[in-house]
Amino acid sequence: TFEALVELSLSLPYQAIITTTTMEDCFNANTKEHVDSNTRTETNSSPPSNSNSCLKFFQYHGVPEAQGFSTFGIARGALIMSNVVYSTALIVLASKDAGCSEDDDDACDLKVYGFKPSSLISNIAILSGLLSAFFMPVIGAVVDFTPHRRLTGLLASVLIIVIQTTQIFLFDSTWFIMAVLQAIAALVYQVFLLTIFAYIPEISRKVGNEKMTIYSSRFIIVQYTVQILFLVLVGAVQSVIGLDDVNTARASQGMNVVWIAIFFYWGWRLMPANPAMHKLPEGHSILTEGFRQNWRTAKNINTHFKGGVRWFLLGTVFSEASVAAITTLSVIYLSDSLELGGNKIIIFFVLTLICAPIGSKISVFATNRTNPNVSWQMSMLFIFTTLIIGVVTLESIMSDITNYIWGMFIGIGLGWYYSTETQFFGSCVPKGIEAELSGFFVYCSQILIWLPPLVFTLLMENDIAQRWGIAVSSSLFLVAIGLLRCAAPWETIMEESLCESQFSEE
């Protein structure tokens, strides 16, 4: 999902503003550093070659944790996009099992396993969202209170590879089992993310804020680039060989398995095994300590950081639910209501990804003229308006060009949203509690991600058009905007963030 595009930047525990959104910017920074070094040594060597610059881009000054995190971004990019392609195939097979005709342009009202075929992907999102919301505090406690962070992440990676390999065998008789595995894979992926995010504060402490800002841009660039390249590769294979949606999903999974196996292995070779970050209080259970810690964090925020952090996190709960639903529900809407085939859905998402950096530039422009809070609200309103205009008009137009334009505007909105969210979070977090709030932030982003798919499923099962499901799901943006309007003036939020503080353990 697009939420995963910037999971790194959403959990950064430092006060930084990410404004670099192109590979060229980072290469220029590397080249400048190399040239400065040559100037200091007064050598007459030739300028660095492009290959040297590209190599240096991935060196991260020899910090293995940063190299590992970037390597995981290469794996995650392919994994995310492969599962988007796979979702399309699941809908096709579910529709076939229900007895729906491919030649019928009307929505299929037949059911399979008690639900309409279109409800399959949203039901997977409901299950995975509920499992993530419940198990994340438990896994977080394992990462925080035991020395098994690396082992936990490694086991999650292996399990992901096993599930992805199993899902290659997608047939008429196995699609339901594969759909269940899809929900389990989403939970395991969240476990993997928790383990690698725990390295972010350590990277920041090693390299400092200035270098970490550059690193964060590189992390995002790597994953963006891989996602686009992987989708283009899958689309090319589909077009050249002439594969249907189901065979495209199998081919995509096959390429994905080889891809993630290589880069998961490489990434964990780079990541060190670290001791426990905190000691488990005597008499407390590892199964419940994560929930206790989240409750303590929530109380401390409500007591000490009422002006900015409290409203930011409340806004995150609702806005992230809508953002997470965009990719999940858009696959259903594109394939069912707009009747896009697998190759056209791939084009849609490629264009969306390509346009996201434009939104990052808009974020810088809007934030400089207002503040991160106002800019973030504007980005939500932009996405909400874009979604509403699309679902109201596209079904009557039924044009691939207008569908693609819609996707481009969604990409611009998401780029604006995530870039501003990163800046807001980095600016409002007080010193001394960055690590605690990073984990709590990730948890807040998962609490309600099951709600929009649930609403969408209920509406579809009651024969209400899918466009209204998209509209209702995106309305959580309006709730988030209302909450953010309650935040203190930006100057007050900045004053609050300047105070070094430690959370109470009581």
Side-chain angles (χ1 to χ4, degrees), residues 333 337-338 389-399 402 467:
Y333 184 71
S337 295
L338 299 184
I389 292 175
V391 298
V392 169
T393 61
L394 291 179
E395 290 183 49
S396 60
I397 300 174
M398 295 300 287
S399 165
T402 54
R467 61 179 179 271

Side-chain angles (χ1 to χ4, degrees), residues 129-143:
L130 289 172
L131 289 174
S132 296
F134 180 78
F135 283 105
M136 278 184 65
V138 179
I139 302 302
V142 173
V143 172

Side-chain angles (χ1 to χ4, degrees), residues 64-103:
E65 293 91 340
Q67 295 170 345
F69 199 100
S70 183
T71 303
F72 288 138
I74 300 175
R76 289 160 57 199
L79 179 63
I80 293 166
M81 290 297 99
S82 180
N83 281 282
V84 170
V85 176
Y86 203 82
S87 296
T88 304
L90 287 176
I91 294 176
V92 170
L93 291 178
S95 299
K96 183 178 179 181
D97 200 2
C100 301
S101 173
E102 296 182 3
D103 300 327

Side-chain angles (χ1 to χ4, degrees), residues 306-487:
K306 299 179 180 180
V309 177
R310 177 176 64 176
W311 298 109
F312 170 80
L313 292 173
L314 286 172
T316 296
V317 170
F318 290 92
S319 65
E320 283 295 320
S322 283
V323 168
I326 289 177
T327 302
T328 303
L329 303 183
S330 65
V331 171
I332 304 171
Y333 184 71
L334 291 172
S335 62
D336 203 9
S337 295
L338 299 184
E339 301 176 8
L340 296 185
N343 60 333
K344 293 180 180 179
I345 291 177
I346 290 174
I347 295 173
F348 181 92
F349 281 109
V350 167
L351 292 174
T352 303
L353 288 168
I354 290 174
C355 290
I358 299 175
S360 298
K361 296 296 185 183
I362 295 175
S363 169
V364 176
F365 178 84
T367 302
N368 287 340
R369 282 155 180 76
T370 55
N371 60 62
N373 187 12
V374 173
S375 180
W376 200 30
Q377 295 175 51
M378 292 169 61
S379 72
M380 295 180 198
L381 186 60
F382 180 90
I383 299 174
F384 174 77
T385 304
T386 299
L387 291 172
I388 295 300
I389 292 175
V391 298
V392 169
T393 61
L394 291 179
E395 290 183 49
S396 60
I397 300 174
M398 295 300 287
S399 165
D400 290 344
I401 298 299
T402 54
N403 294 337
Y404 296 152
I405 293 174
W406 187 49
M408 293 167 69
F409 275 92
I410 290 175
I412 291 171
L414 291 172
W416 184 358
Y417 171 89
Y418 280 126
S419 295
T420 312
E421 183 179 43
T422 300
Q423 182 174 354
F424 195 163
F425 179 65
S427 300
C428 73
V429 174
K431 295 180 179 179
I433 57 172
E434 298 95 335
E436 290 87 344
L437 278 186
S438 294
F440 191 67
F441 173 85
V442 174
Y443 181 66
C444 287
S445 69
Q446 299 294 311
I447 293 176
L448 288 183
I449 60 172
W450 53 269
L451 182 58
L454 175 61
V455 173
F456 189 83
T457 296
L458 292 175
L459 292 177
M460 281 198 302
E461 292 300 318
N462 286 279
D463 298 322
I464 298 175
Q466 292 180 3
R467 61 179 179 271
W468 300 118
I470 298 288
V472 172
S473 298
S474 62
S475 65
L476 292 182
F477 280 125
L478 301 180
V479 178
I481 292 173
L483 291 168
L484 291 170
R485 298 292 297 173
C486 299

Side-chain angles (χ1 to χ4, degrees), residues 92-386:
V92 170
L93 291 178
S95 299
K96 183 178 179 181
D97 200 2
C100 301
S101 173
E102 296 182 3
D103 300 327
D104 190 359
D105 293 334
D106 297 328
C108 180
D109 292 328
L110 300 176
K111 295 188 177 183
V112 58
Y113 293 104
F115 292 94
K116 294 180 180 179
S118 300
S119 300
L120 173 66
I121 302 303
S122 55
N123 286 340
I124 291 174
I126 294 169
L127 179 58
S128 62
L130 289 172
L131 289 174
S132 296
F134 180 78
F135 283 105
M136 278 184 65
V138 179
I139 302 302
V142 173
V143 172
D144 200 15
F145 294 104
T146 75
H148 305 310
R149 178 203 312 177
R150 184 177 183 274
L151 177 61
T152 303
L154 184 58
L155 291 176
S157 300
V158 171
L159 187 54
I160 289 173
I161 294 173
V162 171
I163 293 175
Q164 297 292 306
T165 302
T166 304
Q167 287 185 311
I168 296 174
F169 303 97
L170 178 65
F171 300 102
D172 294 355
S173 59
T174 62
W175 71 265
F176 183 73
I177 296 174
M178 300 307 171
V180 174
L181 287 177
Q182 191 84 334
I184 297 173
L187 171 62
V188 178
Y189 181 69
Q190 291 298 326
V191 174
F192 165 75
L193 292 178
L194 277 176
T195 60
I196 65 174
F197 284 157
Y199 288 94
I200 293 297
E202 297 166 10
I203 299 173
S204 182
R205 284 193 291 268
K206 280 187 175 183
V207 304
N209 290 347
E210 184 176 349
K211 285 184 180 178
M212 193 64 193
T213 304
I214 299 175
Y215 285 7
S216 63
S217 297
R218 296 184 190 179
F219 294 151
I220 296 172
I221 290 167
V222 167
Q223 190 167 325
Y224 263 132
T225 304
V226 170
Q227 288 185 263
I228 294 172
L229 292 177
F230 188 83
L231 274 182
V232 170
L233 176 62
V234 172
V237 170
Q238 182 185 39
S239 300
V240 171
I241 302 179
L243 301 176
D244 59 19
D245 290 343
V246 175
N247 283 315
T248 300
R250 295 192 193 112
S252 173
Q253 286 296 100
M255 291 184 289
N256 175 49
V257 167
V258 175
W259 192 299
I260 64 175
I262 293 172
F263 291 104
F264 276 163
Y265 172 78
W266 186 7
W268 286 119
R269 283 287 302 271
L270 292 166
M271 287 298 195
N274 293 340
M277 291 184 285
H278 298 93
K279 183 179 179 181
L280 183 67
E282 187 176 352
H284 288 202
S285 170
I286 195 72
L287 297 178
T288 59
E289 189 59 27
F291 294 96
R292 291 174 181 267
Q293 190 174 27
N294 282 341
W295 176 245
R296 288 194 299 267
T297 301
K299 288 198 302 181
N300 277 299
I301 290 172
N302 191 56
T303 301
H304 302 294
F305 307 110
K306 299 179 180 180
V309 177
R310 177 176 64 176
W311 298 109
F312 170 80
L313 292 173
L314 286 172
T316 296
V317 170
F318 290 92
S319 65
E320 283 295 320
S322 283
V323 168
I326 289 177
T327 302
T328 303
L329 303 183
S330 65
V331 171
I332 304 171
Y333 184 71
L334 291 172
S335 62
D336 203 9
S337 295
L338 299 184
E339 301 176 8
L340 296 185
N343 60 333
K344 293 180 180 179
I345 291 177
I346 290 174
I347 295 173
F348 181 92
F349 281 109
V350 167
L351 292 174
T352 303
L353 288 168
I354 290 174
C355 290
I358 299 175
S360 298
K361 296 296 185 183
I362 295 175
S363 169
V364 176
F365 178 84
T367 302
N368 287 340
R369 282 155 180 76
T370 55
N371 60 62
N373 187 12
V374 173
S375 180
W376 200 30
Q377 295 175 51
M378 292 169 61
S379 72
M380 295 180 198
L381 186 60
F382 180 90
I383 299 174
F384 174 77
T385 304
T386 299

